[in-house]
Amino acid sequence: MSFSPADGVSFWLKIIAAVAVILVIASFFAVNREVPRPVDLPTVEYSSGEVAVGDFAIPEDGELSFRILLNRRSLLKGDFASVGKRKLIECLVLDAENYQARKSGGEWNALTRTGYVPGGRLNRELSPGEYRVVIDAKDDDKDPVAVRLDLVLE
């Protein structure tokens, strides 16, 4: 069997063509591979501006609670008042730990506590963290109590 120079060139052309086909197929799968979706991280919504503005009703034997989540020092200020018969209400500012203790019936301490009054003004500086503003009707009130709130963060 004899080889001519043309046979060697055609042999190498076939190898180059086969390698080119393999590279094209490999690049097709590399480009079109399924990319894993990034995990959606939960976004944290920090509180700012209005906390509770408007008229609300404290349910019978209940309370109103507004969550505040801060990533910076803020000033919580505003007014609260019962509407109509001027029933007695209490405004509390609690950190998350004391709020949970209050809900479970344990001992708790409020950062701010107004006592039972028909209305008042709130002015409290808060550090970064989680807080609750609680508006509570007097224990002997069995009817819903209407309240007007204007609580904002500055």
Side-chain angles (χ1 to χ4, degrees), residues 14-135:
K14 289 177 186 175
I15 289 197
I16 290 172
V19 169
V21 167
I22 290 172
L23 288 176
V24 168
I25 291 171
S27 68
F28 174 77
F29 286 111
V31 170
N32 293 320
R33 67 187 155 112
E34 188 173 326
V35 177
R37 294 180 52 114
V39 176
D40 292 331
L41 297 176
T43 57
V44 178
E45 300 250 350
Y46 291 104
S47 304
S48 64
E50 296 179 352
V51 174
V53 175
D55 293 336
F56 299 89
I58 301 174
E60 52 190 62
D61 294 330
E63 65 185 27
L64 290 175
S65 172
F66 302 95
R67 180 176 180 254
I68 298 174
L69 184 60
L70 300 174
N71 62 348
R72 62 183 170 79
R73 288 179 94 56
S74 296
L75 182 65
L76 173 65
K77 61 189 282 187
D79 301 313
F80 62 96
S82 62
V83 179
K85 296 182 181 178
R86 305 295 286 175
K87 297 191 175 188
L88 299 179
I89 57 175
E90 181 176 40
C91 183
L92 306 166
V93 178
L94 305 162
D95 59 23
E97 181 179 315
N98 283 301
Y99 178 74
Q100 290 302 325
R102 182 175 189 268
K103 292 301 274 183
S104 65
E107 284 191 36
W108 54 275
N109 292 313
L111 298 172
T112 299
R113 186 174 191 172
T114 63
Y116 287 99
V117 293
R121 178 159 287 169
L122 192 61
N123 192 4
R124 174 69 189 208
E125 186 172 338
L126 301 173
S127 299
E130 183 177 352
Y131 301 92
R132 290 283 184 153
V133 175
V134 177
I135 310 296

